Every structure is written in C-alpha cells, then in structure tokens.
Amino acid sequence: MSLDFMFFINTILLGVGLAMDAFSVSLANGLSEPLMRKRKLFAIAGVFGFFQALMPLVGWACVHLFLSFFSSFQKYIPWIALALLLYIGGNMIFEARKGSGEEEKTAKLGFATLLMQGIATSIDALSVGFTISDYNPIMALFAAIIIAVVTFIICIAGVIIGKKFGTKLSGKANILGGLILIAIGIEIFITGVF
C-alpha cells in the first residue's frame, strides 16, 4: 500500500466517520455555551482532533505490539464510552436543573470535562488500528494527521452550529446538550455490544 490518491480519499472518509461522535459533542458544547470565545472553540476542536488521531495510532501500535492485550480490552470500549458520556451528560442536566428560576445559566466547559469528552468520543477509534494494521509507520502517521484535520474542521462546524442554536434555546440548551451526550453514549454502547 502507498500514499496514493485512494489512500487520502479513504482516510478522509474514515476521518469523517470517526468524527461524527465528536461533532455531536461539539454541537452539545456549543449549545450549552452560546457565548463561547473563539479560543475555546479551537481548543475543543483541537482536543477532539488530537484524540481522534491518537487512538488509531494507539490501536495500530497495539496490533503490532500487544495484539492479545488489545483484543481482550476491546470488549470494554463501549462500556467505558457509555459511562463517561452518561456522567458528563447527566452532570450537564443536573447543573441546568439546579439553576434558580428564570436566571439563564450556561455551564462552562472545563478542561477536565473536555478531556473526558475527547477520550469518550474517540475510544472506539482504537479499533481503527485493526483496519490500518497493514500500513507502515509513516502511512499510519499520515492517516492520523488526516483524521485529526478532518475532525478539527468538523468539530469547529459543530460548535458554531451549537452556539447559533444555543443562543435561541437559552436556558434549555444545557438540558438538550446533556441529552445529546447521553444519546451518543447509548449509541456507542449499542453499536459496540450488539
């Protein structure tokens, strides 16, 4: 296999597929913080891009170095993603419900929560290591970079769309964002287990 046109097309499509969970979470983040600054928007997209690139590389390395360990760990991936997204989404809903009366309250996304979101939405990308296992190290690195760039662009769009609707939804945005995260967690779990 070589770095030809089909390699780039396939990797871009793979990146789009992997970025869908990150897009949804970016949308939820934009919904819950409609007045988010550009710096934070880029930080969100950057964290998701980083983890979407890192996980396939870790999967690729596991295939080449620790195949038996990775195979036994893979069955826990949907459970971990479900737990993380249920926690984050439930916490968003709890914080929104805790807000007093008519006061508009938006949850600020902290760095620890963003890291958990990045891990939760990309952990299923570990299995991509199996699909790129025949790549040499340079091709695997190029694939990871392409996936990161695609995810970064898609997540910027998700946050912008979420911010636009978050302003219109005002106080209900945190609840909607939490429900979206919970739904993503359930979807990852169902597709990973069944």
Side-chain angles (χ1 to χ4, degrees):
M1 188 159 278
S2 62
L3 294 172
D4 59 5
F5 179 73
M6 285 311 295
F7 167 82
F8 288 102
I9 295 299
N10 289 337
T11 306
I12 289 169
L13 293 175
L14 179 62
V16 170
L18 288 174
M20 287 302 102
D21 288 341
F23 170 79
S24 299
V25 176
S26 297
L27 186 73
N29 288 338
L31 279 169
S32 65
E33 200 173 330
L35 301 176
M36 182 186 303
R37 295 175 187 249
K38 284 184 182 178
R39 181 176 170 186
K40 191 169 195 177
L41 181 151
F42 288 118
I44 290 169
V47 166
F48 286 134
F50 171 77
F51 280 108
Q52 289 291 358
L54 176 67
M55 292 300 183
L57 283 178
V58 170
W60 180 89
C62 287
V63 167
H64 290 274
L65 303 173
F66 314 108
L67 183 59
S68 62
F69 170 76
F70 182 68
S71 297
S72 63
F73 174 74
Q74 191 174 14
K75 64 184 171 198
Y76 298 110
I77 290 173
W79 293 93
I80 294 168
L82 176 67
L84 287 172
L85 290 172
L86 283 177
Y87 171 76
I88 296 167
N91 194 40
M92 282 177 69
I93 293 170
F94 176 75
E95 291 296 322
R97 301 290 294 159
K98 195 170 80 171
S100 58
E102 299 297 313
E103 176 184 309
E104 183 177 319
K105 185 178 185 304
T106 58
K108 298 290 182 189
L109 177 67
F111 187 69
T113 302
L114 179 58
L115 285 180
M116 285 194 339
Q117 288 178 349
I119 292 167
T121 58
S122 65
I123 199 164
D124 59 336
L126 274 170
S127 59
V128 171
F130 282 125
T131 65
I132 65 170
S133 64
D134 59 337
Y135 288 6
N136 64 44
I138 300 297
M139 289 178 67
L141 183 60
F142 269 113
I145 291 169
I146 292 168
I147 290 168
V149 169
V150 168
T151 301
F152 184 82
I153 293 167
I154 288 173
C155 289
I156 286 175
V159 173
I160 291 171
I161 293 168
K163 283 176 53 173
K164 179 88 68 193
F165 286 105
T167 305
K168 291 179 172 53
L169 294 172
S170 64
K172 305 287 185 220
N174 285 343
I175 295 172
L176 181 59
L179 291 173
I180 289 171
L181 293 181
I182 290 170
I184 293 167
I186 292 169
E187 184 268 332
I188 290 171
F189 176 76
I190 289 172
T191 57
V193 171
F194 300 109

